[in-house]
Amino acid sequence: MEYRRIKDQDKDGNGDDSGVGVAVADDIESLRGGKAISGASNMAKLGGNPLDRSKWQQKSIVTLALTVLTSSQAILIVWSKRAGKYEYSVTTANFMVETLKCVLSLAALSRIWRSEGVTEDNKLSTTYDEVIVYPIPAALYLVKNLLQYYIFAYVDAPGYQILKNFNIISTGILYRIILKKKLSEIQWAAFVLLCAGCTTAQLNSNSDRVLQTPFQGWLMAIIMALLSGFAGVYTEAIIKKRPSRNVNVQNFWLYVFGMAFNAIAMLIQDFDAIANKGFFHGYSFITVLMILNHALSGIAVSMVLKYADNIVKVYSTSVAMLLTAVVSVFLFGFHLSLAFFLGSTVVSVAVYLHSIGKLQK
């Protein structure tokens, strides 16, 4: 090859010239191997490519949004309480969350209809066989979302963020049972670490009780994890049954049934209170922020899957646990113990390992 002859000739030359020859040969080799020269590399690092810089900005924005929304979710629920109880009806708050999600899905669809037109995959009209599968996950999410309010009678905001990671275990096991997906050894090891981390974070050295969270809190956290995992796996099975179907259409029908079930829950649980005091009785600015947070969290996750990747979700979850704890120190007087810090660190590692195990399968 030509570049090898140049290198051989340079080796036979003078000492000073051989240095130049080797440098030239190295440049030729690096060009032949497709490596970028240092100037181009520096330009790339500085964001010389507008497309790469735009993608990096999108990824940063959705990562920040998901982290803020995830960490503030539990804080807003606790903050919306007055004298240790909810002055508003939690069923009306849940109904407003589902309504707002439905409106956002319709807004996204209207943009698609204007740009692409109405097609077989993005039209709202559907068949009975397609729509009849949505009530099951909608009902599961209803129970899980209602439990999300009542669990704070037993856990604080940072503890909730830790225990919420149990849904990773439930989702993984249900994936194995329902969708017949194999779990890697790394993922099984991550499950063990996750349990250890959650338990460590809940250790209580200042009381006769070993764990900070009582049995009722753990039970509700496990039930919520099972409901969330089963609903998530079931929803994914629905989506994969017709992958070409626009996800906003599928979300719309899921949220419509969510609104219907929440309306039934309002009639059963809070009909007298709503009739006597009004639908928005007890609502505050924090309550409105909480509803917006719940609605936008689902949108943020879908944006992460579109513009970023699963690792972003992992980092957001890990940062959110610590961020929730730090904010709770100032808002609610939460004591940031060594056990909580070590436990949350172990949970973060477990979540990361689970994600890596998923990517390596």
Side-chain angles (χ1 to χ4, degrees), residues 59-81:
K59 194 171 184 177
S60 301
I61 290 171
V62 296
T63 302
L64 179 63
L66 184 61
T67 303
V68 171
L69 289 169
T70 303
S71 58
S72 60
Q73 198 169 80
I75 292 172
L76 289 172
I77 293 177
V78 175
W79 206 0
S80 68
K81 299 169 76 173

Side-chain angles (χ1 to χ4, degrees), residues 143-156 158-171 198 202 213-229:
V143 179
K144 178 257 178 184
N145 290 335
L146 288 177
L147 285 176
Q148 186 175 235
Y149 292 94
Y150 298 121
I151 194 174
F152 286 103
Y154 306 102
V155 301
D156 48 30
Y160 170 76
Q161 288 286 16
I162 290 286
L163 295 176
K164 196 168 71 169
N165 287 288
F166 275 132
N167 65 7
I168 296 176
I169 300 177
S170 65
T171 302
C198 289
Q202 291 296 310
T213 302
F215 173 76
Q216 297 94 321
W218 282 88
L219 181 62
M220 293 177 72
I222 293 171
I223 292 174
M224 287 175 60
L226 289 172
L227 290 171
S228 179

